Amino acid sequence: MTVELRLFGGASLLTGDGALISGSSAQPRRLAILAILADAWPAPVTRDAIIGLVWPEQDEAGARRLLSQSLYELRKALGEFTRSSGRDIGIDASALAVDLIDFRRAMEQRDFERAAQLYRAPLLDGFHLKGAGEFDRWLSSVRHATERDLRRALACLMDRDEADGNVRGAIEWAARLLELFPFDAELVQRCATLHARAGDPASAIGIAERYERRIRDELELAPDPRVRSATRAALDAPPTPTLVTAARTSPSAKAVAVATSSAPAFVERRARRLPLWRAIVAAATVLIVAAGLRSFEPPHTAAARRVLVIPTFRAQGDSSSVALASAMATMLAASLDGAAGLVVDTAVTSTENRADGWARADGAVTATGHQLRVDVTLSGAGRARAYRVTLTAPSDSVIPLLDRVARELLPRLYPGLDRERITTAARSFAQASTLRRYLDGESAFRRGEFGAAHDAFREVTERDSSLAYVWYRRAMAAEDAHRLDDANRSAATALRGAGRLDERSRRIVEAYVVWRSGDIAEADSLFRLMVRARPNDAEAWVHFAEVAYHGGPLIGHTLDEARDAWRQAVALDSGDFSALMHALRLEARSGNQRAVATLLDRAESIGGNVSLLAEMRAIGNIAVGRGASISLPDASAYFVHSVVASLLERPTEAEVIARRLAAPDAPAAVRAQAHAALAHLAMAQGHRRSAHAQLDTLSTNDPIAAAWWRAYFETLPFLTPSDTGQSRAKAVLASAVPRSTTVPLYLELAVDAPAARILQAYELALLGLSPRGDGDVAFRCPPELPATLAALCTDLGRGVAAESRRRAGRPADALRELEHMEMRVPYQLAGRSAYFARTRERYLRAMLLEQAGRLDEAYQWYSAATSVGRLDYLYLAPSHLARGRIRERQGNRAAAKSHFQRALELWKTPDGELASLRVEAMDGLRRVTESSAP
């Protein structure tokens, strides 16, 4: 009997008769190997990938031995459960039953009840591998994807039961959804409304009250007032009779069943008298379209029921048109059912047809001889004007003709998408089912559900690999879903096919690939030209805003330009979740509380990415002065801490979040990351001794990370080098040899050993410089590096040379070195790592520009120095001090006063050398205050 691997609710192996398998095969790391293989199924996984996740701290040879031994032990217990080919290992699902694989199969087949039954608890709940931070990150990503799939399944089941009149069944599915997403205001409204319809007002009120308590107590936010008002409205309405039992029709078959059951009786009678060949064509068409639908999963359905009505088409022409009219309306209904969350029906009253969320497709079929013509008019659903489609084809081309009709209608059914861009892209699709999946991807991307968008775009490109524009969208979704390998491959494929696109799309794709390659200045120039040429092109504005936000500070631009660009993007498309998210962060930075509230309300109303919405709430909450919210998953909490510290410039609130992550019961990898953050926050507040104490704690979990950050602190450009501190840092760092299979925490992202060796050589070179800069600069770049690492190494080498020349009293030569930096870096790397962001070099450049009297340039570089890397906020106070000096020299006393005050707020009780910098800020504040006094 087949052995079973269960991953939902933990990790366990069971024999065919249900007995638990224990012993060596059930060790955590061996179960982790099985989980990794199951997630990748049906694709294989490389041995190196498994080693990097399961044994990151082992040397390469040792890790390979451990993997071979683990596979041997697993095969002894489970039999031959893998399909191996050299360096790749794949799981054989016929030899090992896995609930995760069965769950995904059920989702693909739209057997949502089976999927909901398989999902017993979160994936690998409570499972942890010590010293394997990358495994934790992988698990978090996979767990989120399965939760997202479960949400879709439960939402579809809830919608199905509600549509069938089985309110009690819908309540059961809604309750499970609410357990997963207790802060989803729209879901709370829906659940309370269902209880009210079932005649259970107490439960409806209880659901609303529990939501309000949770959101006040756990998130420290004001509850959405729409929940209470919707609950009151539902209680005022009469209860709906509910079904005791409901027929369980598979969702894939339901589309055809609903459309056919409402067909008029005389049409059914006429259909029986059709010639045999016409009956076969009609039946085959229904089956083909329905089968095509099974492989494509509709996006998450909104809480409000949106209905597309397709009444039986009118018949014109010869006698065969009557039967064709009935069959073609039925087939079109099956083809469009579920698209954009719409439920297709065949009859509705005129009053209902005018309600929000309803649309109607009326049609006529004309058969004359060997020619068919179909006329379809789409109206309603908020459209000011009806949309008309007229298509003709030979009488034996029913299937292609209907597919063309569906392709014409589909772009008009998805709300909020850029009509011009989508219509242009739609012309490339040969099949309606492929176009529909593409539109699902665009809709998910717009809601900020990047994983779902990537899945949709991937399926489209697998069906048709010639669609360069979809490859580009796949690259974007993969990038935002943190699937960078696929983003690189997809972007390269998009570029190869860009010549077949229209000029505007080709330029977008080419500029995006330039941006992904790390050429920030060129990408900035290209997108800047685009928005000037097409000021209403929302897509171009989003790209320009992305470059300005993530890349602008790397080339000396301030975030004010990014804020204005995101404002323009939101003005052009207020339903783009990504634009709302970025705009909210920058409005929070500028203290615009009204804008923050408006943007958050808009994001909530479109029901975007749940995790990102929680982050937006936390950032918005802090921005309006309601304190730090820490009821977030670890990864989200760490990100919010960095935004609060650097972008909002509030290290005190950020420290509250970091200390929560450093709790004793937190996973070791999370605690290590938190102690690194606490060390940076201490430096940002002038507490140098406390920062080193945090590094001492960090060294117990990750001595390499502690050594690197200790060296980084000792080479900060605004501090005078300390012989004792630098000697200690150099000794510790020299012994912290990078390991080939580890992912060092000090990099804050997964990079390979060559990068680690480059950065170690860089820090050792800085620590080895003499105070007068008269020693040798021992820093050389290894040969044959990848382009990104080669640019990084060259720039860091210039940084070492510039520091040496600055100490030697040659500031002009030092500045020249820094002005020749390449600054080629993909923004994902710059955003996570101070090294890839060249933060030290950018700050040093600002110092040298100030010394050279180029004050406006210096001011911009000081402003930009704290706006990229997640841990760059330790430069905040010295940056404000320097900007205060510049504005004072320029005679702008009000701005100088603001900067001096901000530096003093950040450095309230500094120790050691930083105390003298606080004195400098106090003296500056006194000067500008006295000089402005009457």
Side-chain angles (χ1 to χ4, degrees):
M1 298 179 71
T2 304
V3 176
E4 181 184 0
L5 170 65
R6 290 187 179 178
L7 298 175
F8 286 112
S12 58
L13 285 166
L14 304 175
T15 62
D17 56 6
L20 187 67
I21 297 176
S22 57
S24 61
S25 60
Q27 290 177 1
R29 293 188 191 273
R30 290 167 187 172
L31 291 172
I33 292 170
L34 294 175
I36 293 165
L37 295 175
D39 171 58
W41 185 89
V45 184
T46 66
R47 292 174 181 266
D48 288 341
I50 296 173
I51 288 170
L53 290 172
V54 180
W55 291 285
E57 297 183 347
Q58 286 289 332
D59 61 88
E60 187 171 358
R64 289 188 180 280
R65 283 195 301 273
L66 287 169
L67 176 58
S68 297
Q69 179 65 27
S70 294
L71 291 173
Y72 171 75
E73 293 292 340
L74 286 169
R75 288 188 181 109
K76 279 203 311 182
L78 311 181
E80 188 50 66
F81 70 96
T82 63
R83 293 173 177 171
S84 304
S85 59
R87 54 197 295 271
D88 294 342
I89 306 170
I91 204 166
D92 184 353
S94 64
L96 178 65
V98 186
D99 56 357
L100 175 61
I101 294 176
D102 292 342
F103 173 81
R104 288 176 174 169
R105 282 171 170 165
M107 291 299 298
E108 289 174 2
Q109 295 163 7
R110 301 183 69 193
D111 186 353
F112 298 133
E113 284 192 74
R114 172 67 175 154
Q117 179 185 15
L118 286 165
Y119 192 105
R120 293 177 293 273
L123 191 76
L124 290 175
D125 195 21
F127 190 88
H128 175 66
L129 293 184
K130 185 178 180 181
E134 274 304 291
F135 179 83
D136 289 342
R137 282 185 277 274
W138 166 84
L139 175 56
S140 177
S141 173
V142 179
R143 185 180 288 155
H144 176 71
T146 57
E147 286 178 354
R148 185 179 64 240
D149 287 343
L150 178 65
R151 177 169 189 160
R152 288 203 197 94
L154 294 175
C156 287
L157 291 168
M158 176 175 61
D159 292 339
R160 180 202 65 188
D161 280 0
E162 185 180 11
D164 291 345
N166 182 11
V167 180
R168 289 295 180 190
I171 287 174
E172 292 178 12
W173 302 123
R176 281 197 65 182
L177 268 172
L178 204 57
E179 289 176 7
L180 287 170
F181 308 100
F183 301 111
D184 187 328
E186 190 174 343
L187 180 59
V188 173
Q189 291 177 54
R190 182 86 175 274
C191 200
T193 301
L194 285 169
H195 277 284
R197 288 180 58 192
D200 186 0
S203 294
I205 295 170
I207 288 169
E209 289 178 345
R210 284 194 295 275
Y211 156 78
E212 291 180 348
R213 283 197 302 272
R214 275 196 304 266
I215 205 161
R216 282 197 182 100
D217 297 344
E218 297 181 34
L219 297 186
E220 301 177 4
L221 290 173
D224 191 329
R226 291 172 296 183
V227 170
R228 183 155 296 243
S229 60
T231 305
R232 289 198 195 98
L235 291 172
D236 291 340
T240 302
T242 62
L243 301 178
V244 178
T245 60
R248 298 301 187 188
T249 306
S250 68
S252 57
K254 186 184 172 188
V256 180
V258 168
T260 307
S261 63
S262 301
F266 78 89
V267 174
E268 294 181 9
R269 288 194 297 272
R270 290 291 300 270
R272 294 192 195 100
R273 295 197 296 269
L274 274 173
L276 179 61
W277 72 271
R278 290 191 183 275
I280 292 172
V281 168
T285 305
V286 173
L287 292 174
I288 289 170
V289 173
L293 288 177
R294 289 192 188 100
S295 63
F296 293 108
E297 184 180 305
H300 169 59
T301 308
R305 189 174 184 231
R306 300 172 61 244
V307 177
L308 171 64
V309 183
I310 305 182
T312 298
F313 286 0
R314 300 185 307 279
Q316 300 172 171
D318 61 36
S319 59
S320 65
S321 63
V322 175
L324 280 173
S326 172
M328 293 179 78
T330 299
M331 290 185 284
L332 185 63
S335 179
L336 298 181
D337 186 69
L342 287 166
V343 175
V344 174
D345 205 345
T346 56
V348 68
T349 67
S350 58
T351 301
E352 289 173 318
N353 191 37
R354 288 196 297 268
D356 292 340
W358 289 71
R360 183 179 179 116
D362 294 288
V365 175
T366 304
T368 54
H370 296 290
Q371 193 75 9
L372 280 177
R373 191 183 82 183
V374 177
D375 298 276
V376 180
T377 301
L378 184 67
S379 58
R383 291 175 177 79
R385 294 187 300 172
Y387 178 73
R388 294 180 176 83
V389 178
T390 298
L391 296 172
T392 60
S395 58
D396 60 352
S397 301
V398 176
I399 294 175
L401 181 60
L402 270 176
D403 200 74
R404 288 169 59 197
V405 173
R407 276 183 281 149
E408 287 288 334
L409 296 180
L410 277 167
R412 275 83 189 167
L413 299 179
Y414 283 76
L417 299 182
D418 184 329
R419 183 58 47 77
E420 179 183 355
R421 177 169 64 84
I422 296 303
T423 303
T424 300
R427 300 190 187 106
S428 305
F429 291 89
Q431 294 181 325
S433 57
T434 310
L435 170 61
R436 171 173 168 171
R437 193 59 174 142
Y438 163 71
L439 294 172
D440 287 345
E442 290 288 356
S443 184
F445 194 95
R446 179 178 169 78
R447 296 191 303 272
E449 295 173 353
F450 304 119
H454 176 258
D455 292 343
F457 293 141
R458 188 194 66 243
E459 291 176 24
V460 173
T461 54
E462 288 171 352
R463 289 167 68 92
D464 187 346
S465 62
S466 68
L467 300 169
Y469 190 80
V470 185
W471 279 107
Y472 143 73
R473 298 299 286 173
R474 172 176 170 173
M476 289 190 65
E479 182 178 315
D480 288 334
H482 307 296
R483 302 171 187 178
L484 298 187
D485 287 343
D486 188 73
N488 292 331
R489 289 192 296 268
S490 299
T493 307
L495 184 62
R496 285 196 295 271
R500 297 189 295 270
L501 299 173
D502 63 276
E503 182 182 359
R504 180 260 177 200
S505 298
R506 176 183 58 77
R507 291 177 63 196
I508 284 277
V509 170
E510 290 174 345
Y512 171 73
V513 173
V514 168
W515 165 231
R516 286 210 82 256
S517 73
D519 193 342
I520 298 160
E522 179 64 12
D524 176 83
S525 175
L526 290 172
F527 286 121
R528 194 180 296 270
L529 288 172
M530 285 184 206
V531 296
R532 286 175 181 169
R534 296 170 61 94
N536 293 324
D537 189 333
E539 185 181 12
W541 272 106
V542 166
H543 280 301
F544 176 58
E546 281 273 4
V547 175
Y549 179 76
H550 293 291
L554 293 168
I555 55 176
H557 297 176
T558 68
L559 285 178
D560 290 341
E561 187 171 45
R563 180 195 60 204
D564 295 340
W566 281 118
R567 283 176 176 173
Q568 181 66 19
V570 170
L572 290 170
D573 184 1
S574 64
D576 186 315
F577 189 90
S578 181
L580 294 168
M581 175 178 67
H582 286 88
L584 179 138
R585 293 174 190 168
L586 292 170
E587 296 295 356
R589 172 186 175 85
S590 63
N592 190 337
Q593 296 188 8
R594 178 175 295 180
V596 168
T598 301
L599 291 165
L600 184 57
D601 183 66
R602 178 58 181 154
E604 296 274 9
S605 70
I606 65 175
N609 184 300
V610 175
S611 298
L612 295 179
L613 269 174
E615 292 175 6
M616 290 175 68
R617 292 188 196 106
I619 293 167
N621 197 31
I622 294 171
V624 300
R626 293 179 181 169
S629 172
I630 56 177
S631 298
L632 293 166
D634 293 340
S636 293
Y638 182 76
F639 173 77
V640 169
H641 127 269
S642 65
V643 171
V644 172
S646 59
L647 207 63
L648 272 58
E649 300 189 4
R650 297 186 179 184
T652 303
E653 285 96 331
E655 187 176 345
V656 173
I657 302 173
R659 290 198 180 281
R660 169 65 182 84
L661 293 173
D665 58 344
V670 174
R671 292 201 310 274
Q673 200 172 32
H675 284 297
L678 288 168
H680 279 72
L681 289 163
M683 284 295 293
Q685 297 174 80
H687 303 150
R688 193 174 187 178
R689 288 189 293 272
S690 178
H692 283 282
Q694 288 292 341
L695 294 183
D696 290 338
T697 303
L698 173 62
S699 65
T700 62
N701 288 322
D702 195 331
I704 296 179
W708 282 77
W709 283 131
R710 201 180 302 281
Y712 189 81
F713 289 169
E714 288 300 324
T715 57
L716 289 170
F718 53 83
L719 294 178
T720 302
S722 160
D723 290 341
T724 303
Q726 292 206 340
S727 296
R728 181 192 176 196
K730 187 175 181 180
V732 174
L733 181 60
S735 64
V737 179
R739 292 163 290 185
S740 59
T741 58
T742 191
V743 180
L745 181 65
Y746 54 81
L747 292 178
E748 292 296 314
L749 76 169
V751 297
D752 52 16
R757 287 191 287 271
I758 288 169
L759 301 185
Q760 186 181 40
Y762 163 72
E763 283 290 2
L764 288 172
L766 285 174
L767 291 168
L769 291 175
S770 71
R772 298 187 303 276
D774 53 2
D776 293 332
V777 179
F779 184 79
R780 298 289 185 274
C781 291
E784 299 180 0
L785 287 172
T788 298
L789 287 186
L792 171 68
C793 191
T794 300
D795 284 353
L796 296 183
R798 293 189 183 280
V800 173
E803 179 62 28
S804 178
R805 289 165 190 176
R806 178 176 78 105
R807 295 185 187 187
R810 298 161 55 193
D813 292 340
L815 181 57
R816 197 157 31 248
E817 288 286 347
L818 297 175
E819 288 178 329
H820 283 87
M821 284 197 307
E822 293 184 36
M823 289 307 302
R824 292 180 64 91
V825 52
Y827 82 84
Q828 304 97 331
L829 305 186
R832 292 169 178 249
S833 167
Y835 293 106
F836 280 90
R838 284 75 150 172
T839 308
R840 186 186 190 283
E841 283 62 42
R842 291 185 294 118
Y843 190 90
L844 180 58
R845 182 171 179 171
M847 292 174 63
L848 293 168
L849 285 168
E850 182 186 5
Q851 189 175 346
R854 294 159 60 179
L855 300 184
D856 286 333
E857 292 176 77
Y859 187 89
Q860 279 198 236
W861 280 97
Y862 277 127
S863 300
T866 63
S867 307
V868 181
R870 291 187 179 179
L871 301 175
D872 288 349
Y873 45 76
L874 58 86
Y875 291 86
L876 278 172
S879 171
H880 277 292
L881 174 58
R883 282 180 279 173
R885 286 196 307 263
I886 291 172
R887 287 299 185 238
E888 183 182 9
R889 289 177 64 181
Q890 293 176 328
N892 188 339
R893 292 189 294 270
K897 181 178 180 180
S898 175
H899 284 303
F900 287 138
Q901 287 175 331
R902 192 73 192 100
L904 291 170
E905 290 170 1
L906 291 163
W907 277 335
K908 293 178 180 177
T909 56
D911 53 34
E913 180 185 345
L914 295 173
S916 64
L917 297 178
R918 176 176 170 84
V919 172
E920 183 183 345
M922 293 175 64
D923 290 342
L925 179 61
R926 176 182 50 77
R927 286 194 305 272
V928 295
T929 302
E930 291 175 352
S931 61
S932 60

